[in-house]
Amino acid sequence: MPLPLRSPGGGRLSPRAADAVVAGAVLLVVAVWTLVSAQYASEPTVRTVLGWVLILIGCGALYFRRRQPVAVSVVTLLACVVYYPLSAQDGPLMIAFALALYTTAAEGRFAAAVALAAVTLLAVGLGEIRQRPGHRQIDDTSLVMLAGWLISLVAVGRAQRTRIAYLHEVEQRALAAEREQEARARQSATEERLRIAREVHDVLGHSISLINVQSGAALHRLGKGPAPEAGLATATEALEAVKSTSKDALRELRATLGVLRRADEATPTAPSSSGLALLGDLAARARSAGLDVRTDVTGTPVPLPPPVDLAAYRIVQESLTNVTRHAGARTVRITLDWGAEAVRLRIADDGEGAPEGRPLGSGIRGMAERARAFGGELTAENGDDGGFLVDARLPLPEPGTPGRPTASEPTAPEPTASDSDASEGDPR
């Protein structure tokens, strides 16, 4: 690949300026050579003037060699055809044609370059054959060398064209890879930001909603002016519930912030203190806010991968948060249906339901995103018998994969009613 021409200030010349420099350089070489040859050969003034006109035409045409490569090659070839029989000085005007022929091949006009090279060789050969014996200007060896010279010019131009195309393709691939990498980085940053926002929303939204309901209920009872002993018991009960709920919120918040501080570690796949194993604690906290929470489990539970376990827990948690804040419900039923291929979560309340036409909130969108992230699905709509229903389906891992026991491994026993009641009655 030819080195790029640069201006004296260090910047790269424009294509037209570079063509002008090349044309001027070729004209300088041809002119100096012709002037030196003129000292050893004399000819009429008219021929000398015509020779210089042809030199100017042939060298000047090189200025347009990249915009009109075939036309410039034809002009320089015709200039040579007229110049060499006419002038006795035999200047190197052939350099202009050689450069034009090379440019024609390098600009992708390969067929035209081959045709021009063939025409040139045939014209020179026929011209020499017509000469009388002993008056030939070019012998057979020189003809062979001329043929090799013309073939080399076309081949080098073709190779240059291929190399430029290859470099251009490599450059485009590098730019495409860079754009793709930037797009992936932006997508990863967006997904991570949304994941963090979803975690903080689920952790704080649930606990703060319970604290708000518990403290509001206590203030309502105290506002009725009960006896001092009853008022003290009410305040103590409310403060204990607020303390327990805020303690859980702080623990989960510290765990989330701890992950954010460890920027050099991989994204955690397991929750620090959340999962379906803590569903009883979650239900107990909701009961402390005045809800009648009932849990039903059908099928045979199996261990879930930590990310899926956390997603199921968060779906139940956010559903209870929405019931506490918006539903005005008294009873919530949580159903876990363990199937052969998926676990289904249903959280139904007896509240007022969602107003028709109201867009989904960020909490429901976050639950749906969690379910879709693991190949599941989630719907949230008003129930047939009133209230609101959240229905989520999370696929179970394939047998033999981490988190799913094989046929030879024991599965977790199905919890009995007594086990469920015991866990639900032990809030943390």
Side-chain angles (χ1 to χ4, degrees):
M1 184 175 182
L3 294 176
L5 295 176
R6 297 184 178 273
S7 62
R12 182 175 297 182
L13 293 176
S14 65
R16 293 193 176 185
D19 291 339
V21 170
V22 170
V26 173
L27 177 60
L28 179 62
V29 172
V30 175
V32 171
W33 192 309
T34 303
L35 290 175
V36 173
S37 299
Q39 298 178 3
Y40 304 98
S42 59
E43 62 181 1
T45 303
V46 176
R47 288 193 175 188
T48 301
V49 172
L50 289 176
W52 281 103
V53 170
L54 292 171
I55 290 174
L56 291 175
I57 292 175
C59 295
L62 294 177
Y63 177 72
F64 306 96
R65 64 189 178 93
R66 283 194 283 193
R67 281 166 280 176
Q68 299 292 335
V70 178
V72 171
S73 296
V74 172
V75 169
T76 54
L77 177 59
L78 293 177
C80 292
V81 169
V82 177
Y83 174 78
Y84 282 107
L86 177 68
S87 176
Q89 299 172 359
D90 289 343
L93 185 58
M94 197 69 178
I95 296 177
F97 171 67
L99 183 56
L101 184 64
Y102 162 82
T103 304
T104 300
E107 291 296 323
R109 308 295 182 86
F110 184 68
V114 172
L116 286 170
V119 168
T120 302
L121 187 60
L122 289 175
V124 173
L126 290 176
E128 292 299 317
I129 291 175
R130 295 178 59 184
Q131 295 290 334
R132 291 178 298 172
H135 291 79
R136 291 182 59 180
Q137 303 264 334
I138 302 176
D139 55 19
D140 294 339
T141 302
S142 298
L143 277 176
V144 173
M145 293 178 63
L146 176 62
W149 183 60
L150 294 174
I151 293 174
S152 299
L153 286 173
V154 175
V156 171
R158 177 74 170 183
Q160 177 66 7
R161 174 71 178 183
T162 303
R163 187 170 187 269
I164 291 176
Y166 171 75
L167 292 177
H168 178 71
E169 182 180 359
V170 170
E171 181 180 3
Q172 293 301 314
R173 288 182 179 179
L175 292 175
E178 183 178 357
R179 288 193 295 266
E180 182 179 359
Q181 184 177 5
E182 292 177 355
R184 288 181 178 177
R186 288 193 298 269
Q187 181 180 1
S188 299
T190 301
E191 292 176 352
E192 183 65 12
R193 186 174 65 251
L194 293 177
R195 186 188 69 82
I196 294 172
R198 190 164 55 239
E199 287 293 326
V200 174
H201 173 274
D202 292 347
V203 169
L204 295 182
H206 176 75
S207 299
I208 292 177
S209 296
L210 292 180
I211 291 173
N212 180 65
V213 171
Q214 292 162 348
S215 58
L219 289 174
H220 177 71
R221 290 195 296 268
L222 292 174
K224 295 181 179 180
E229 295 79 5
L232 180 60
T234 299
T236 301
E237 180 184 357
L239 289 175
E240 288 179 350
V242 168
K243 177 183 177 181
S244 176
T245 304
S246 60
K247 181 180 179 181
D248 293 337
L250 287 174
R251 183 178 66 249
E252 293 196 37
L253 183 60
R254 288 193 189 101
T256 302
L257 295 179
V259 171
L260 297 180
R261 291 191 184 100
R262 295 191 294 270
D264 57 333
E265 295 185 4
T267 302
T269 58
S272 58
S273 60
S274 301
L276 291 180
L278 300 179
L279 185 58
D281 297 343
L282 192 61
R285 288 200 298 270
R287 290 192 187 97
S288 67
L291 289 175
D292 180 11
V293 182
R294 305 173 184 177
T295 59
D296 296 323
V297 180
T298 60
T300 303
V302 298
L304 293 176
V308 181
D309 197 21
L310 175 60
Y313 177 88
R314 293 299 189 204
I315 289 174
V316 177
Q317 184 184 51
E318 179 60 23
S319 299
L320 292 178
T321 300
N322 290 336
V323 172
T324 303
R325 296 174 59 185
H326 307 299
R330 293 183 177 180
T331 303
V332 180
R333 179 173 294 277
I334 303 173
T335 304
L336 270 69
D337 183 12
W338 295 90
E341 298 180 353
V343 58
R344 188 174 182 182
L345 304 170
R346 292 171 59 89
I347 304 94
D349 64 69
D350 61 353
E352 301 173 355
E356 294 294 335
R358 181 178 179 180
L360 298 179
S362 59
I364 294 179
R365 291 197 300 270
M367 290 190 293
E369 290 172 359
R370 288 184 184 275
R372 287 195 299 268
F374 299 100
E377 55 187 359
L378 182 143
T379 58
E381 56 189 2
N382 291 332
D384 296 335
D385 300 329
F388 198 74
L389 172 64
V390 175
D391 190 350
R393 177 183 175 277
L394 297 175
L396 297 177
E398 295 294 333
T401 58
R404 178 71 182 267
T406 60
S408 61
E409 294 176 343
T411 58
E414 182 176 354
T416 62
S418 59
D419 294 336
S420 176
D421 294 340
S423 63
E424 292 171 1
D426 182 24
R428 297 182 182 179

